[in-house]
Amino acid sequence: MPKDTIHQTQKVTPSAPEIAVKSSQFSRRPTITPPKPRRDISTPSIALGEIPNLQILNEKGEVSDPAHEPKLESAEHLKIYRAMILARKLDTRMLTMQRQGEMGTFAPGMGQEATQVGQIYPLLQKDWFSPSYRSFGAQLWRGWTIEGLMLLWNGYADGFNIPDGVNDLPFSIVIGSQVATATGVAMGLKRQKDNAVVVTNFGDGAISQGIIGESFNFAAVDKAPIVFVCENNGYAISMPVQKQTGADFLAGRSLGYGIPSMRVDGNDILAMIVAMNGAVDRARRGEGPTFLEAVTYRMSLHTTADDPKVYRKDEEVEYWKTRCPIARYEKYLINKDLLSIEAIEKIATECEQEVLAGRERFRELAKANPRVVFDYMYQTLPAELQEQKQEYLNKLDRKETDQ
Amino acid sequence: MPQMNMAESLNLALDECMNADERVCIMGEDIAVNGGVFRITKGLLEKYGEDRVIDTPLAENAIIGTAVGMAITGLKPVAEIQFSGFTMQAFDQIEQNMARYRNRSRGRYPVPMVLRTPYGGGIRAVEHHSESREAYWAHTPGLKVVIPSGPRNARSLLNAAINDPDPVIFYEPKAVYRAYREDVPDEPEAIEIGKAQVVRTGSDITLIAYGAMMRPTLEATEDLVDLHNVDVEVIDLLSISPMDTQTLVDSVSKTGRCVIVHEGPRNCGIAAEIIARLNEKAFEHLEAPVNRVTGYDIHFPHFQVEQHYLPDPDTIIQAVKQTLAYE
Ligand SMILES: Cc1ncc(C[n+]2csc(CCOP(=O)(O)OP(=O)(O)O)c2C)c(N)n1
Ligand SMILES: [Mg+2]
């Protein structure tokens, strides 16, 4: 088995002296009543000064950390499993559609399903999510529709309509920028005593952007209710994570800002759920931000315009296939008698059907309306822009009559 | 003379400059091992090694900031920003340092660097990948801004930019990268930054464009000449700042009428600057108000409707007719 050259896997405990979180320092924090903590999940304590490494299921799907194994109901397990399968199916289908000319350039999430579903699982509906572009799995969980995601990746503005009842920001293309907005949302929620929390995700490449550090700092100073999730999938386009940092791992990045962190096996759905649950609880209790480094792997292309053969070896990809987050969870569920081969097939077929039904709706909805491009620019379009809009509409009319 | 597309001719220019001058080094995201997302820097790592072909961390502001520092030590960095939309991350270092060190140090520290970046629409891309914001940089004192339109002038213009003693923003029309091939001479041609090129002489009206907009402009010209019997003069601006005012003024003084084409937004765009200069220097020769065909003052739309945002030959022809009809 080739060595894991992308991610360091050893336990990490920085030698910095232990620093306690001084939570009583800010007496004017809003009083919020946290919902009852879940009894079925216990998270290792999150505190400054140490960086726990969390893995609950090993590559073989065996429980490697029984103390933290969540005691979820079987229906919960199946819901989570199904969400991961749906994400994978959508990904696969969209890749086919892209190759057949029915989809624009998009960023596949294959291999990151556990990171995705795990980071979103503990959120309540009223909570906020500010994702990067590689976030199918989490967006589906939040209620973004299959047809909506297909629309937006195929260049239709309508795909960006935020689903009803969801407090999410549209994903960000600009690396790292969504993290600042998310931090501001958390600062706003705190002032509105809303008791809601924010989750934001970004990549291992994004960690190099100044805005990430600046956002960490604002969140730390404000004790904002936010969880920062770095999906370390090994690459930023062609560049391995070792080209982004001189450190062996990313979880330490937040410590200097006073934000505790944890390094999580991002291909282990149970570890992701447990870590996120703890981090979200901290935020809801008013204890401030947490940073999680989810160690995962981008099994597919950066985007459909990318050729990974130029910069990474097949054997590395093969190695990571043996760590597939879905296969790992499947083994666990089978061992627990929560899943049978028949059930696996049934869920796979159902998810495939769901994706195909979404594609049908997408095909019906895929009608671009060029007439609305001025309509969301301002609450009231200034007179000079109204004039420009009219000129533009005249051009469209002319084109139509010419045809 | 070999036939090349623009991606290849830019690669050739980088190769020539690196070969000729050891001080030239290139840096940016995914430019070394991957050869750049548009493959403009392909093969250069193998030829010139890691010290001169640098894969940087993902941070545009630091790419430009460190390139400025390297330039101050006497190197000639050519920094790539993967898409011009992400030069916004580097606004700080471009405006505060790249454009200013020569003046701030009373001439001691010139910044002979190039910022190369693909700009413009027409490639069915997601948000932030289609903008055309050259006007920002023209508005920044201390910078030069150039935009080639085809394989041949791209090669010579990049050569000139790299050998220029001052910082140059080099916008590459990505829609043209692989659009067509043309003959590119074996030896680099001398080209002067700050000079426009008259690509067709005519007597009825002057069409001014640059970059990716040269193609629809030339297409429109063909129709105007062949079908509408209009004798069009066409100017490829090439250099946005400094601008070749004299060539523009000479042309419009002759034709008396002018239409300017650019894909960037209209408000404070390059056309506005050209109109001001013509107003100052060719006013008495004008027979009609100078017209412009530009992008609109909205965010670049999602790609299913981008063709309606971009100036096209029909719209240009329409504007020409309107300008000719003015009495
Ligand atoms: C500010 C900015 N610079 C450059 C890009 C181009 N780009 C898109 S994705 C990407 C790599 C991102 O890597 P990472 O943060 O690890 O996220 P991943 O794609 O692996 O999910 C780059 C450089 C961008 N979108 N935004
Ligand atoms: Mg990554």
Side-chain angles (χ1 to χ4, degrees), chain A residues 134 203-205 231-237 298:
Chain A
R134 200 184 302 283
D204 45 294
E231 296 193 29
N232 178 356
N233 63 4
Y235 287 90
I237 309 187
R298 194 194 78 215

Side-chain angles (χ1 to χ4, degrees), chain A residues 204-281:
Chain A
D204 45 294
I207 204 91
S208 297
Q209 289 282 359
I211 193 70
I212 299 289
E214 294 170 34
S215 302
F216 279 2
N217 199 34
F218 272 57
V221 168
D222 203 67
K223 288 218 163 207
I226 184 166
V227 184
F228 299 104
V229 180
C230 178
E231 296 193 29
N232 178 356
N233 63 4
Y235 287 90
I237 309 187
S238 72
M239 296 192 30
V241 61
Q242 292 90 339
K243 287 268 184 179
Q244 301 294 344
T245 174
D248 290 341
F249 57 95
L250 306 176
R253 187 64 67 92
S254 67
L255 293 192
Y257 296 99
I259 300 178
S261 68
M262 199 186 285
R263 196 158 198 259
V264 187
D265 185 335
N267 283 13
D268 170 4
I269 182 67
L270 299 187
M272 276 306 297
I273 284 176
V274 165
M276 278 303 297
N277 188 68
V280 166
D281 273 358

Side-chain angles (χ1 to χ4, degrees), chain B residues 3 13 21 41 43 52 56 70 118 143 146 164 179 213 216 231 234 238 242 297 305 311 325:
Chain B
Q3 287 251 320
D21 187 345
T41 53
R52 295 179 66 198
T56 68
M70 287 165 66
L143 300 176
V146 300
D164 197 273
M213 285 299 107
D231 192 15
V234 184
L238 290 170
D297 293 318
V305 299

Side-chain angles (χ1 to χ4, degrees), chain B residues 202-243:
Chain B
S203 55
D204 294 338
I205 188 164
T206 304
L207 272 180
I208 303 171
Y210 54 88
M213 285 299 107
M214 282 309 289
R215 298 188 74 215
T217 301
L218 289 171
E219 239 179 85
T221 301
E222 221 169 280
D223 273 12
L224 285 163
V225 173
D226 295 347
L227 308 176
H228 303 275
N229 204 24
V230 183
D231 192 15
V232 183
E233 177 143 314
V234 184
I235 297 180
D236 184 349
L237 203 54
L238 290 170
S239 182
I240 308 299
S241 177
M243 194 183 279

